[in-house]
Amino acid sequence: MTLPLVVGVDGSEAGLWAADWASDEAALHGLPLRIVYACLWERYEGPVIMQSEEVPSEHALAQDIVGRAAERVRQRNPDVKITVDIVPDDAEAALLREARRATAVVTGCRGRGPIRGALLGSVSRSLATHASSPVVVVRGTPHNRQGANDRIVVGVGDAATSTAAIRFAFREAEARRCALDAVRAWRRPAHRPLAHPLLVGDPAHRYEEQASVLLDDVLRAPERDHPDVVVDRVTAEGPAHHVLITHSARADLLVLGAPRRHGPVALPLGRVPHAALQHSDCPVAVVPQHAAAS
């Protein structure tokens, strides 16, 4: 059974951007698309409003939100199979539940209402931190959101957080027939032991070489499995979040890994994906690396 791609909509412009992106992604991979709007009105008012013949305003609003998103998807990609659902729950809980049976969950970078920036701090960040499926937060310029750069960037950390993200990035690049930049940031240690008196200069090349070796190691298997993907290895000095946000300016998608721990205590999202979700110039995919993954 093919798991659907799920997109959360809320009536905002950013939610419609997410629907557009999810529509294209579903068409690209031949996936069904599930459009979800989560709200709490039914939980609190359901028993009362069911006695009335009038359609409650909140229910009408919910129907309008999913209806407009579905029509937008149909016009954009008529062949994509669509289902819609209005879920009586808050958005965070509903989409985390959806992630358990989804290929990926797509959301916008901010919500509607007076606190527009709050969505990232709550729903998007919670999804990126806790979801069991990949999460894509659609943000950036129209040029980047529409895939006009023909390039994907994947941030390469250590194997404990990067393996699943790298494979996700290769699959995306193969489906889109675009280039893939594998980026590894490196930094000089803040406190290095004194150099040998006969050695002159800063051995920065050693750290860059270590970054290059790590890229070769982690890319060997996915390059073998996806021989048609053109990969550019990039090593850059600086904080990883700065390096990756800079590279996002010429990318259609920035792919990052995030560790997952089984049990009641979740691992924090981490500085790099958190910064990317706030400042990337293109959509960001956060791919969970589960403890059992190889």
Side-chain angles (χ1 to χ4, degrees):
M1 179 178 177
T2 302
L3 293 176
L5 186 66
V6 173
V7 58
V9 297
D10 62 357
S12 68
E13 183 180 22
L16 293 176
W17 296 348
D20 290 346
W21 194 95
S23 172
D24 293 344
E25 184 76 354
L28 181 66
H29 292 278
L31 296 171
L33 180 62
R34 177 170 164 79
I35 301 171
V36 175
Y37 173 64
C39 58
L40 291 171
W41 68 266
E42 186 175 285
R43 173 185 294 177
Y44 298 123
E45 302 179 18
V48 176
I49 62 176
M50 291 306 167
Q51 299 172 9
S52 171
E53 295 181 359
E54 294 185 4
V55 178
S57 59
E58 285 295 332
H59 187 239
L61 174 63
Q63 290 181 318
D64 179 65
I65 287 172
V66 296
R68 284 192 294 121
E71 181 59 28
R72 190 170 174 121
V73 170
R74 291 189 189 100
Q75 292 182 3
R76 191 177 181 95
N77 289 293
D79 294 333
V80 172
K81 182 179 178 180
I82 305 168
T83 58
V84 300
D85 199 3
I86 300 170
V87 181
D89 207 342
D90 69 86
E92 179 180 330
L95 293 176
L96 283 172
R97 189 166 55 249
E98 292 286 337
R100 299 172 192 163
R101 51 183 184 273
T103 298
V105 175
V106 183
T107 185
C109 60
R110 61 182 182 272
R112 63 185 176 92
I115 312 177
R116 293 174 60 86
L119 181 62
L120 178 60
S122 57
V123 178
S124 299
R125 182 166 57 186
S126 181
L127 285 171
T129 304
H130 301 287
S132 55
S133 73
V135 172
V136 180
V137 177
V138 179
R139 57 167 299 114
T141 69
H143 182 84
N144 297 72
R145 295 196 309 268
Q146 293 165 9
N149 295 291
D150 290 326
R151 184 170 299 275
I152 289 172
V153 171
V154 58
V156 178
D158 56 34
T161 59
S162 297
T163 305
I166 291 169
R167 293 193 175 277
F168 180 96
F170 268 86
R171 290 192 297 270
E172 282 293 313
E174 185 173 66
R176 297 170 184 234
R177 299 180 180 179
C178 71
L180 175 62
D181 286 354
V183 180
R184 171 69 178 182
W186 59 274
R187 301 182 72 178
R188 310 162 201 249
H191 302 286
R192 293 187 295 108
L194 292 175
H196 189 280
L198 296 180
L199 297 178
V200 179
D202 186 2
H205 66 278
R206 296 182 185 177
Y207 306 115
E208 185 172 14
E209 184 178 351
Q210 289 172 0
S212 296
V213 170
L214 185 144
L215 281 178
D216 288 339
D217 289 342
V218 299
L219 295 175
R220 188 171 294 113
E223 281 186 314
R224 183 180 62 245
D225 296 339
H226 303 273
D228 294 333
V229 175
V230 177
V231 182
D232 291 330
R233 289 162 167 76
V234 180
T235 59
E237 182 178 8
H241 61 291
H242 288 167
V243 169
L244 291 168
I245 289 170
T246 298
H247 279 80
S248 74
R250 63 183 191 124
D252 302 321
L253 182 65
L254 172 60
V255 183
L256 303 170
R260 291 289 186 272
R261 175 189 293 155
H262 297 291
V265 180
L267 293 171
L269 180 58
R271 185 178 187 183
V272 174
H274 183 266
L277 292 175
Q278 293 277 8
H279 302 294
S280 173
D281 288 314
C282 70
V284 179
V286 180
V287 183
Q289 180 78 33
H290 295 283
S294 58

